[in-house]
Amino acid sequence: MHRKWTAFFTAAILIAAALTVHARSQDSLAGEWQAHFESQGTDRGTFYLEMRTSDWKHNHTWGNSHKLSEFYGLDPNLASTDGPARFELRREAGTLAFDGNFHAGKGSGAFRFTPSPEFVQAMKGQGYSNLSIDQLLGFATQDVTTQFVKDLNDLGYGSASADQLLALRIHGASPDFIRAIRAQLPAKPSLDDLVAMRIHGVSPEFVTEMKSLLGKNFDVDQYVAFRIHGVSPEFVRDVREHVSKDVTADQLVAMRIHGADPEFVKGIDAQLGRKLDVDELVAFRIHGVSPDFVGQMHELVAKDLSADDLVAFRIHGVSPEFVKEMKNEGYSEISTDQLVAMRIHGVNAAYVKELREHGFKNPSIDDLIEMRIHGYPHRASM
């Protein structure tokens, strides 16, 4: 009996696997779709389409916005009316046929993708043999054409993989973009560089303007870092005007990472009455030296505090509240070094009161620090 059921389940699995292979053969691929109208109008309307295929091992989903004009048989009136829909997306890589229904501008149903044998053969001639049905579907949805592949070859990118072809198309790295950006860069960008630049918005115009402002060219990683961290031409102009004309690329990125924007710079300059260099401004932001903090410490400690003094105060916790508490205990004149040393060794208003309770009426700041270092008053005497 056990052998009988084992044989039955084995046969069932083999049949299911055979059906799966058939459904995902090179002849066609079936799946489900969902879509909605993003904007209307037959010429400029857009349509978001998501497709899903699955088998016993994998689930695959593709989603992208398309112009309505790319589809054959898609009625734009379905954006506001209900009804059945049958339409196609015809590409050089193959045809996607959609069947389903729309309600309130949203549709769903089933699709079948049929690859083009001519395209498959042409791609073999370009060096792309054994393309999977999923890759061919990706080529169709992203409109990877043989001309696109030829253009890449002409531009020196004949080694692009199928996945790289898709990534270039998904992110809009067209041959025109590649030609324009290469003319601006000091070295030929890789395929991954081209995709990264498109993802982060590194355009030929951006490169041209940054080169002009900073007086030099940069590699792809630096331009991408500019865009990731928001180092725009406007930001560069502000920094050069209000901070330094000799600011470096790394300093610009550091300023953006830590929030040393022109507004912050103006506030600090107004409190100090002088300009700080970029590294000092970044240190202020890292350690929380704000214009308000500077103003309070000027009133409580001294007007001629250095940038290093202010940073040291923040690092060691010399706050306006701490200074006020010590002043309330009769210590109105405390040097910057003493303030830092007091915080390092734990001298505060509570410690002063404790000493006074043990007979130390008016110890100096240096005495307070020295006694704290040596542990006075000893706990055994209390």
Side-chain angles (χ1 to χ4, degrees):
M1 185 67 178
H2 175 73
R3 290 180 180 178
K4 179 179 178 181
W5 280 109
T6 300
F8 173 80
F9 282 119
T10 300
I13 291 171
L14 290 174
I15 291 170
L19 290 173
T20 298
V21 170
H22 175 73
R24 301 181 69 84
S25 69
Q26 291 296 114
D27 294 333
S28 65
L29 174 63
E32 299 174 343
W33 64 270
Q34 291 183 332
H36 64 267
F37 288 85
E38 294 180 313
S39 61
Q40 299 183 37
T42 54
D43 295 328
R44 298 183 180 180
T46 56
F47 184 71
Y48 181 79
L49 175 66
E50 184 174 288
M51 296 176 292
R52 181 164 50 259
T53 62
S54 62
D55 59 28
W56 66 286
K57 281 187 177 181
H58 304 289
N59 291 311
H60 298 278
T61 301
W62 295 263
N64 202 14
S65 292
H66 300 267
K67 295 178 181 178
L68 292 181
S69 57
E70 295 181 54
F71 295 91
Y72 293 83
L74 178 59
D75 185 358
N77 292 320
L78 289 170
S80 56
T81 61
D82 299 346
R86 304 187 81 174
F87 55 98
E88 292 182 343
L89 181 63
R90 301 172 184 173
R91 302 291 202 192
E92 185 182 353
T95 299
L96 290 118
F98 301 89
D99 193 355
N101 291 276
F102 275 85
H103 173 68
K106 297 181 179 180
S108 62
F111 79 87
R112 181 167 293 278
F113 169 61
T114 305
S116 164
E118 294 78 14
F119 176 81
V120 172
Q121 199 61 37
M123 289 298 286
K124 284 182 180 178
Q126 298 274 16
Y128 295 90
S129 301
N130 303 316
L131 290 171
S132 71
I133 189 73
D134 291 320
Q135 288 173 322
L136 289 168
L137 174 58
F139 284 3
T141 57
Q142 300 303 326
D143 200 19
V144 175
T145 64
T146 51
Q147 185 60 53
F148 178 68
V149 177
K150 290 175 184 176
D151 288 339
L152 288 178
N153 285 333
D154 293 341
L155 290 167
Y157 297 101
S159 60
S161 68
D163 288 342
Q164 286 174 320
L165 291 176
L166 279 172
L168 291 167
R169 291 297 287 169
I170 288 169
H171 297 291
S174 66
D176 287 343
F177 168 79
I178 296 171
R179 292 186 193 96
I181 203 71
R182 279 183 58 174
Q184 299 295 332
L185 295 172
K188 176 185 172 182
S190 69
L191 290 168
D192 290 341
D193 287 337
L194 292 168
V195 171
M197 285 190 287
R198 288 298 295 173
I199 289 172
H200 297 291
V202 178
S203 66
E205 296 75 19
F206 176 79
V207 172
T208 300
E209 195 163 7
M210 295 298 281
K211 285 196 310 185
S212 175
L213 286 169
L214 295 172
K216 62 177 292 188
N217 208 340
F218 300 95
D219 60 24
V220 171
D221 288 343
Q222 190 65 70
Y223 286 118
V224 169
F226 284 161
R227 294 296 290 175
I228 288 173
H229 298 292
V231 179
S232 65
E234 293 75 21
F235 179 76
V236 175
R237 280 190 281 269
D238 277 340
V239 171
R240 285 172 56 83
E241 179 180 353
H242 298 291
V243 183
S244 171
K245 292 190 180 297
D246 299 320
V247 63
T248 67
D250 288 342
Q251 287 175 326
L252 287 165
V253 171
M255 290 180 73
R256 291 300 287 172
I257 288 173
H258 297 290
D261 56 33
E263 196 64 31
F264 172 78
V265 172
K266 291 173 187 175
I268 289 293
D269 288 351
Q271 289 290 350
L272 293 176
R274 65 183 187 277
K275 289 186 176 182
L276 297 182
D277 63 35
V278 174
D279 292 338
E280 289 173 325
L281 288 166
V282 170
F284 272 27
R285 289 299 289 171
I286 289 172
H287 298 291
V289 180
S290 66
D292 181 62
F293 178 80
V294 174
Q296 291 188 68
M297 298 310 277
H298 276 171
E299 292 180 7
L300 292 167
V301 183
K303 292 289 185 184
D304 59 349
L305 294 172
S306 70
D308 288 343
D309 288 335
L310 290 161
V311 170
F313 286 168
R314 292 298 288 173
I315 290 173
H316 296 290
V318 180
S319 66
E321 293 74 22
F322 172 76
V323 178
K324 290 175 185 176
E325 288 175 0
M326 295 308 299
K327 284 181 177 291
N328 290 337
E329 295 300 323
Y331 297 95
S332 57
E333 299 294 332
I334 313 175
S335 73
T336 56
D337 289 342
Q338 286 174 326
L339 285 166
V340 171
M342 290 167 72
R343 291 301 288 169
I344 289 173
H345 297 291
V347 175
N348 54 25
Y351 180 65
V352 173
K353 291 174 182 175
E354 183 182 355
L355 287 175
R356 285 175 177 162
E357 290 174 358
H358 285 78
F360 298 94
K361 297 301 182 184
N362 294 300
S364 68
I365 294 295
D366 290 339
D367 288 339
L368 289 169
I369 294 170
E370 189 70 17
M371 285 190 285
R372 194 61 163 149
I373 289 172
H374 293 287
Y376 292 115
H378 293 299
R379 295 294 147 191
S381 66
M382 295 178 64

